[in-house]
Amino acid sequence: MQEIKYIDRKTQQIVHENPPGEGLLKFLYYSPFGQLPLHLVVKRKLLSTLYGKLMSSSRSKKNIQPFVDTYNIDMSEALLPISEFNSFNEFFYRKLKPEVRPIEEGVVSPADGKMLVFENISELRSFFVKGNQFTLEKFLKDEALAAKYQNASLILVRLAPTDYHRFHFPLDGVAYASYKISGRYYSVSPYAITPDFARVFCENKRTYTILSSPTRGDVLISPVGATMVGTIINTYEPNTQVNKGDEMGYFAFGGSSLLMLIDRDQVQLDEDLLANTRQGIETSVLMGERIGV
């Protein structure tokens, strides 16, 4: 069983990730004894809903400081101090000071997290070779839309529970209304997606929005929920002009991810991200950081 590791984009060093609940994730996804609770309890909405309510209660405030201390969360970036949060969830989807996430040139990352990029979506077949085959028809539940993006570049950002959990627009454009797809609540940790990428992304609760860019065409942005993520909240006004870096929404407590599709003729993804993905390793990125031109 491999450890979770990624490349720190700034230092180019390999970092080993120790996410909250790592032992439980290993048990659920790699132990034959874990498969029963995985399918009967963990993937279902009830658990995530109940946990979400717990994390929104005033009693959960006491968990904030230990979490910050354990995972070295940089609270100097946060817009509000810990004392201003009335629950763990308020801390979890905290806003940041605008200056700590400068918006760079080109196509930028929509979120903080660990990124994989594919010049052509067909490359997923060789990268995630286990489990069921991922198809856009399964993911989008729309044959015409799937056909439109069948040769698109795919960008995947995984947000761990320790990451900043608001997501933003990667380009200027018109953001249309979000479409919701109900589903399960599998974890998006590498422990879960490595055995079966298709099951996680084609069965989990998700939404998608089309961002119509004057320079890049129609970009599809899809927030995907996961275990302990009971809610995906969009905060933008549909059918309006948005600027690159504007907030699109946020996730409530838990791990989660964002999947983006963009016409491969309209973007040249950065070579370091492509090279790391070809080696089978994620790259850490920050919201607003350039990922392509």
Side-chain angles (χ1 to χ4, degrees):
M1 187 186 308
Q2 294 184 342
E3 292 182 287
I4 299 175
K5 59 184 180 180
Y6 61 89
I7 291 181
D8 184 309
R9 200 177 191 192
K10 291 183 172 58
T11 66
Q12 293 299 302
Q13 299 297 308
I14 293 179
V15 179
H16 294 269
E17 183 178 348
N18 296 302
E22 181 178 25
L24 177 61
L25 288 172
K26 289 180 179 179
F27 170 72
L28 290 172
Y29 287 94
Y30 288 90
S31 164
F33 299 104
Q35 293 300 308
L36 183 60
L38 172 66
H39 289 283
L40 292 182
V41 180
V42 176
K43 73 176 184 180
R44 297 189 182 278
K45 180 178 181 179
L46 178 62
L47 179 64
S48 291
T49 300
L50 290 175
Y51 206 78
K53 288 181 178 179
L54 177 62
M55 290 297 99
S56 294
S57 71
S58 59
R59 289 180 298 174
S60 66
K61 286 176 60 175
K62 67 180 184 297
N63 298 318
I64 299 175
Q65 190 65 59
F67 190 89
V68 168
D69 295 340
T70 300
Y71 296 103
N72 298 312
I73 307 296
D74 185 359
M75 289 305 294
S76 70
E77 295 184 336
L79 196 60
L80 298 174
I82 289 176
S83 60
E84 293 293 313
F85 298 118
N86 295 311
S87 68
F88 190 90
N89 240 342
E90 285 190 7
F91 153 74
F92 183 78
Y93 47 71
R94 64 195 175 277
K95 291 188 175 184
L96 301 183
K97 299 170 184 174
E99 64 270 20
V100 303
R101 293 293 183 273
I103 308 303
E104 299 181 357
E105 296 297 319
V107 181
V108 302
S109 175
D112 287 12
K114 315 305 182 296
M115 180 173 284
L116 294 170
V117 299
F118 303 90
E119 284 185 299
N120 191 314
I121 193 171
S122 63
E123 296 168 14
L124 280 173
R125 298 189 187 100
S126 57
F127 190 91
F128 294 105
V129 295
K130 299 179 181 179
N132 298 317
Q133 182 179 343
F134 174 87
T135 68
L136 284 180
E137 289 89 346
K138 293 178 184 177
F139 180 75
L140 298 172
K141 306 293 187 183
D142 185 317
E143 290 186 7
L145 196 59
K148 177 178 179 177
Y149 289 100
Q150 63 180 339
N151 293 312
S153 291
L154 184 147
I155 298 149
L156 183 65
V157 190
R158 175 180 63 85
L159 290 73
T162 52
D163 287 319
Y164 166 62
H165 265 71
R166 290 181 180 260
F167 46 91
H168 300 249
F169 290 104
L171 292 161
D172 297 338
V174 175
Y176 293 105
S178 178
Y179 185 83
K180 297 181 181 180
I181 301 175
S182 61
R184 301 296 191 180
Y185 293 84
Y186 291 110
S187 169
V188 294
S189 162
Y191 292 126
I193 66 174
T194 299
D196 202 337
F197 177 89
R199 180 177 69 176
V200 173
F201 281 87
C202 293
E203 292 189 26
N204 271 19
K205 175 182 178 180
R206 56 203 181 276
T207 68
Y208 66 78
T209 296
I210 302 296
L211 174 67
S212 184
S213 163
T215 58
R216 312 289 178 140
D218 289 348
V219 180
L220 187 144
I221 308 166
S222 178
V224 180
T227 305
M228 304 305 182
V229 180
T231 309
I232 300 170
I233 299 292
N234 287 318
T235 56
Y236 74 98
E237 187 67 30
N239 307 314
T240 59
Q241 177 72 36
V242 298
N243 296 318
K244 181 168 60 172
D246 284 353
E247 183 180 297
M248 180 177 168
Y250 63 87
F251 293 103
F253 182 74
S256 42
S257 62
L258 277 158
L259 186 150
M260 276 176 43
L261 297 169
I262 183 170
D263 186 337
R264 61 175 176 163
D265 293 327
Q266 301 296 331
V267 64
Q268 175 56 56
L269 297 169
D270 285 351
E271 182 54 38
D272 66 316
L273 300 174
L274 290 167
N276 293 343
T277 299
R278 285 192 289 265
Q279 294 176 42
I281 188 167
E282 299 169 309
T283 307
S284 63
V285 294
L286 295 177
M287 192 284 293
E289 186 176 322
R290 195 191 86 169
I291 61 172
V293 294

